[in-house]
Amino acid sequence: MDAPRLDFAVRVQGPVVLPIEHTARAVWTRAAFGRDWRDEAMAAARSPQPVQRVREIVRRMRLGPPVRASAVPPLHSLPPVRAAFVVRDNLRQRRAIERAYIDAFRQARERIDLVSPYFYPGLQFRRTLRNAARRGVKVRLLLQGRPDYRFAALAASVLYAELLAQGVRIYEYMPAFLHAKVAVVDDHWATVGSSNIDPLSLLLNLEANVVVHDRAFASGLAAQFDEAVAASREVTAPSVRRGVWANVQRGFVAGCARLYLRVGGITGLY
């Protein structure tokens, strides 16, 4: 019998719940509006104050600006924890989650541990990981060892040579399917959420992560990362061979990514 897939979730209390609730309500409003937009339009047109009615609809649909971790006050009933809810959407926060990762990686001094089932980041994300490894940061990636989508596994594998050459260590999780999307940086920064590190999550999907600045939280998550790595297979050589065939594979994956993003209205990042 297969082991359960590896995944993580967090339960939050306090002020950070407010933006989560607001986002959930906004997403629900968007979905309802997409189904009943004709009724909403007619109601606004017949309203004695149509402009205000439209503004109210827009307000309810807006996800709102990201909440900075420094602005979140601590709970008195629990040890103080700085946390923020970060959303990626296709309006004002297109690269919010990606920037949160990159900002943390740039400040890393000791370790970067990253778990992602689907891994095909853009140039800036990869450059940040490579630069961290070159300055002595211990960079470890935990990726799928039992892929559920072959193309996703191929996309990740074509990047192995580039990352391994700069000192990034790569592990493939073997006991079961991998569904976790988490990261730990040094001994104080961590994130758990829904975002993979691929074009679909970083540039097109509606995704959400909780970012936590807390040593105890980061330490606990790091310990669980180490346990998962102990059950994984380390990649010591690229799975894609060098030469013409390797170039064909890399070109094919990169071409598909560019085409996908062009259809989604985004270019120049991959």
Side-chain angles (χ1 to χ4, degrees), residues 86-265:
V86 184
V87 177
R88 199 226 74 84
D89 65 12
N90 288 316
L91 297 175
R92 297 184 299 164
Q93 303 171 67
R94 296 183 68 88
R95 300 187 65 191
I97 291 178
E98 183 178 17
R99 289 194 184 100
Y101 274 106
I102 289 174
D103 289 347
F105 295 165
R106 284 175 174 166
Q107 299 176 47
R109 294 295 176 264
E110 298 178 1
R111 65 186 287 171
I112 296 173
D113 293 333
L114 173 65
V115 186
S116 181
Y118 307 125
F119 184 81
Y120 191 70
L123 296 173
Q124 186 181 21
F125 198 104
R126 301 201 307 272
R127 187 183 301 118
T128 306
L129 287 176
R130 297 197 308 263
N131 290 343
R134 281 200 293 266
R135 67 175 182 265
V137 177
K138 182 180 179 181
V139 181
R140 297 186 296 175
L141 307 179
L142 181 59
L143 310 178
Q144 289 194 78
R146 299 174 60 178
D148 46 0
Y149 295 104
R150 292 294 176 184
F151 186 81
L154 174 63
S157 67
V158 299
L159 302 177
Y160 282 5
E162 169 191 333
L163 296 168
L164 289 170
Q166 301 300 325
V168 176
R169 300 182 71 175
I170 301 173
Y171 299 85
E172 294 180 336
Y173 188 71
M174 302 305 298
F177 289 121
L178 182 66
H179 197 253
K181 298 97 171 175
V182 305
V184 179
V185 177
D186 291 342
D187 60 353
H188 62 277
W189 188 97
T191 184
V192 179
S194 69
S195 181
N196 287 290
I197 310 300
D198 69 344
L200 186 63
S201 281
L202 294 179
L203 299 172
L204 291 175
N205 280 354
L206 175 63
E207 305 283 2
N209 278 40
V210 173
V211 175
V212 179
H213 288 256
D214 182 73
R215 291 180 181 274
F217 184 89
S219 176
L221 193 56
Q224 293 181 71
F225 181 92
D226 290 339
E227 291 180 6
V229 164
S232 302
R233 173 182 62 196
E234 184 170 9
V235 177
T236 57
S239 57
V240 178
R241 297 178 181 177
R242 298 180 182 275
V244 176
W245 177 238
N247 290 334
V248 169
Q249 286 185 307
R250 282 192 290 270
F252 176 69
V253 172
C256 289
R258 291 192 186 96
L259 177 61
Y260 188 83
L261 294 175
R262 189 171 292 114
V263 171

Side-chain angles (χ1 to χ4, degrees), residues 25-99:
R25 291 182 181 276
V27 171
W28 182 260
T29 300
R30 290 181 183 186
F33 183 78
R35 186 180 64 249
D36 303 327
W37 66 271
R38 289 185 179 86
D39 295 338
E40 291 279 5
M42 290 298 295
R46 294 168 179 168
S47 171
Q49 296 178 317
V51 175
Q52 291 187 5
R53 180 66 179 264
V54 171
R55 286 177 176 173
E56 175 61 22
I57 294 173
V58 173
R59 186 192 64 79
R60 286 188 283 114
M61 294 173 62
R62 186 178 299 153
L63 296 183
V67 177
R68 297 185 180 276
S70 59
V72 177
L75 290 177
H76 296 293
S77 58
L78 295 171
V81 174
R82 295 172 60 203
F85 182 63
V86 184
V87 177
R88 199 226 74 84
D89 65 12
N90 288 316
L91 297 175
R92 297 184 299 164
Q93 303 171 67
R94 296 183 68 88
R95 300 187 65 191
I97 291 178
E98 183 178 17
R99 289 194 184 100

